[in-house]
Each structure stands twice: as C-alpha cells, then as structure tokens.
Amino acid sequence: MFNTNEVLETINMVEREHLDIRTVTMGISLLPCVCGTAEKTAQAVYNAICKKAESVVKVTDGLAREYGIPIVNRRVSVTPASLICAPFPEKSHLIGKALDDAAKTVGVDFIGGYSALVHKGMAEYERKFILSIPEVLASTERLCSSVNVGSSKSGINMDAVKLMGEVIKSTAFLTAESGGFGCAKLVVFCNAVEDNPFMAGAFHGVGESGTVINVGVSGPGVVQHALEGIPSANLSDLAEMIKRTAFKITRAGQLIAKEAAKRLNAEFGIVDLSLAPTPARGDSVAAILEEMGLECVGAHGTTACLAMLNDAVKKGGVMASSRVGGLSGAFIPVSEDIGMIEAAERGTLNIDKLEAMTAVCSVGLDMIAVPGDTSAATVSAIIADEAAIGMINNKTTAVRIIPAPNKKVGDEVNFGGLLGRAPIMPVHNESAEKFISRGGLIPAPIHSNKN
C-alpha cells in the first residue's frame, strides 16, 4: 500500500521531475497464425493483433487518468517475424504490412518484432527475410525491426554483421527524404532479450506465454532532482540516493503493469526499469552524470559515473519488483537526450567514448547519426565492436545507427518528438573492409563453457 507522503511525492515527481511510464507494451505470440500461404498468414496476423490489442490504448488512457501518471507510449511486440515468414520468405513484406496495418487499427505508437535471430547461423529463409527489411521499413510507419547477430554462448555471426551494414545503408537510402528515418526503427543486437518493452528492439520471445504486458518506466529527471538535494554527498551516499529513487520509480511501474495486465486479460510480464531520456530539458541521463560531478558528459570519468548509476538503478529496482526484466539500466541514445546532443555538438562526446560507456550501461550505440557516405563495411565494423563488448561481458549491446543521406560532420538530422535530433558524428576513415569481408563466426569466449 502507498501512504499519503508517497502519493504526494509521486505527484511531485510527475508534475516537476518528468516521471512517466515510458511504455506499456503488449507482447503477442503469432505462432498460431502461420497458415499455408503468405496471404492467409498476413490476414491471421492482422486479426490476432486487432483482437488481443484492441483495448490497449483505452485501458492505458484510463490508468493514466486514474493514477495520475503519464503513459507516454502504447506498443505491441510480436514473435520474431522471420519465423512466421519462414515458409514464404519472398513474401515477408506482406507480413510487415499486416503488422503495420494492425498497429494503426488498434492505435498503438509502434509495433516491434519484424525481427530475426541469427546469432549462430543464418538459414536462407532468414537471409531473404533480412534483405526485405529496408523496403518494409521504408513503406511502413509504425513497424520496428531488429536482428540479433551474436551471443555470449554462440559468438558473433560475422556474415550477419556484414549483411546488416549493407541493410542499414540501404534503409537509409530508401528513407533519404526523412533523413534516413528508417534506420531509427532498426537495431542490431548481441544477446537480445525476449521481454524488452522498448523500441526499436522489442520482440515477443518464443519462450514467452501467449499474451503478456511488459512495462518500461523512466525518470531521469527524478534521479537528477534527488541528487541536486545532496550536492556535497560522497559517492556512497549518491549511490544510496539513486537506489532509493529507483525503488520509488519502479513501484509506480509495478502498479501500472499489474493493473494493465489484469484489465487486458494478459499475464504480467516484467518491469523494465531503464532510465530512458527524452529531448526535453530536465529529462536527461547526461544531466545526472553531470550532477554527479562531471563538467560535461564525455569528460574523463564519464564511464565510471555511468557504471555507478547503472548499478544503483538495478539495485534499487530489483527491491521494488519481483518481475524486473528487459534491459533495465540507463539508456544513452544521443538524439533522445538533450545533454548528449549538446555534448556531441561540442565534440566532448564521440563514438569512441560512447563505445566505452556501453560496456557498463544498457544497450549500446543508440540513435547516433554518422555521415551519409560512411561505407557499409564501416557500419558493420561498428556493429562488430559493440557485439564484441556484449559477447565478452555477457550483456545486451546494440547499435542503432543512421548514416544520414547527404549529411556530413557539422550537420544534424531532426526526427522530432521523442526521437529528437542527432548531430552528425565523425567516424574513423581507416577501412575495416578486409576484416568484415572475411565472414565466418567469431567464436564464443572461453567463459561461455559453463555447463
């Protein structure tokens, strides 16, 4: 139960500190939808989503009014579509269109799961499916896509890494009029998780039950405000304050998740307690790091601050819910965080520093824009570096990169809304093409042999 002080404290968090439920995501299994033809399967996919998710927006709107906590996004995630399309990979686009049409019909913001899991090998139907991604993302509005190219148990599938560099470049080209926006809906993973409620990487894992509700909370502004109240505290006390604040944020998410699941006749899945920023000032992970004592994010000490923040968030969150899952930590998407944007514009924050930061936080190189003439091999090499960090450290890492067409360092690309704006960041000009073209598998690390 919540006492009066906790209720008042939560109201203050919402009104002054940007506390919100970032997303309520319904996960839906589409395995029963597979029929004899692509056309029949597409219709079954559309029908299943419209039936199960028809009340998501209505229910979440009601919960937001009832509890006074904003719910920013309503989303759906589905079984990795490469599995649904396996009998007819040449017609994968029909499933993609059905998914997008269903998202529009039920009124959710995004639908995730146009995905493939190829971390150990890539069957021919999966290759054909992956090659469909650029056209599908260019011709849909709300559909998101992800591909898992590595894991700590299997290693890194470098054939898939090479292919994804080419797919990302093609997606940018096909969506050039919107600054390469298609790439903002496409993420490449190592160690992808099956219960992630955040886009663009959400999909409904085959180990999940039929219909679940996963909730992603947020609250960088709440954490920043809490730290502002103890300006002279040592790092141990800072960590304690972050833990207590993460506990309160997660409790709000737990409440919404359980109620949403009950009202939508679904199972309560997990609460993802990631600190997810927005471009709004006062809602920034970078600002938390600066409140901890950095002059600017990207300065020496940034990785240490981020490691402490991420760990404290997890420790506080797991005490507040028995169902913590997803990615759970701190996100550092450049275009979606005003502090990251400004640091990148000043040159304090670069891709190399972001790569170091991803070794200690959630996900990876997220929403970074690079020059439009960046080669596919360079994009693949960036993916390989991130996947290596994930593989060796047994954590989820990812790349969501936009080779912005006709843009160069010093320009920016503006996607608006929660996706924000991205300064064009420089990449190394030296080629990795020979390395990428070798293909094959980077073997799993020795510590993967735990059985």
Side-chain angles (χ1 to χ4, degrees), residues 176-224:
E177 291 185 359
S178 56
F181 176 69
C183 296
K185 301 188 293 174
L186 172 60
V187 59
V188 185
F189 278 118
C190 177
N191 289 322
V193 297
E194 296 189 333
D195 54 6
N196 166 27
F198 288 98
M199 297 298 169
F203 63 87
H204 185 71
V206 295
E208 300 285 322
S209 61
T211 309
V212 302
I213 293 295
N214 298 321
V215 166
V217 299
S218 191
V222 180
V223 176
Q224 180 190 351

Side-chain angles (χ1 to χ4, degrees), residues 17-137:
E17 300 165 17
H18 299 279
L19 173 65
D20 58 52
I21 303 300
R22 187 53 49 86
T23 178
V24 173
T25 301
M26 173 177 278
I28 301 173
S29 173
L30 296 182
L31 291 176
C33 298
V34 179
C35 302
T37 67
E39 290 77 10
K40 289 181 179 179
T41 300
Q43 188 62 53
V45 163
Y46 176 84
N47 292 342
I49 295 168
C50 289
K51 180 180 179 181
K52 294 188 177 185
E54 64 178 346
S55 300
V56 167
V57 173
K58 179 182 177 181
V59 166
T60 52
D61 282 349
L63 287 170
R65 289 192 300 270
E66 187 174 335
Y67 290 101
I69 301 175
I71 299 175
V72 179
N73 278 291
R74 292 85 170 161
R75 298 162 174 171
V76 167
S77 64
V78 299
T79 308
S82 69
L83 302 178
I84 309 303
C85 300
F88 31 75
E90 297 85 357
K91 295 186 176 181
S92 297
H93 63 281
L94 296 179
I95 308 302
K97 184 178 186 305
L99 291 169
D100 195 57
D101 288 345
K104 293 174 185 175
T105 298
V106 301
V108 294
D109 300 281
F110 290 107
I111 185 166
Y114 198 77
S115 306
L117 311 179
V118 291
H119 39 281
K120 194 171 184 180
M122 184 165 46
E124 185 59 25
Y125 75 84
E126 290 166 325
R127 175 180 290 275
K128 290 178 179 178
F129 173 85
I130 290 171
L131 288 172
S132 77
I133 290 174
E135 179 185 344
V136 169
L137 290 183

Side-chain angles (χ1 to χ4, degrees), residues 338-353:
I338 186 62
M340 298 288 180
I341 293 169
E342 292 174 349
E345 289 174 335
R346 287 193 294 267
T348 310
L349 187 65
N350 56 37
I351 291 178
D352 291 341
K353 187 61 178 178

Side-chain angles (χ1 to χ4, degrees), residues 227 230 233-243 292 308:
L227 298 187
I230 50 171
N234 64 32
L235 294 176
S236 298
D237 291 338
L238 281 182
E240 280 299 312
M241 179 60 75
I242 295 168
K243 283 165 56 180
M292 292 169 73
M308 193 183 90

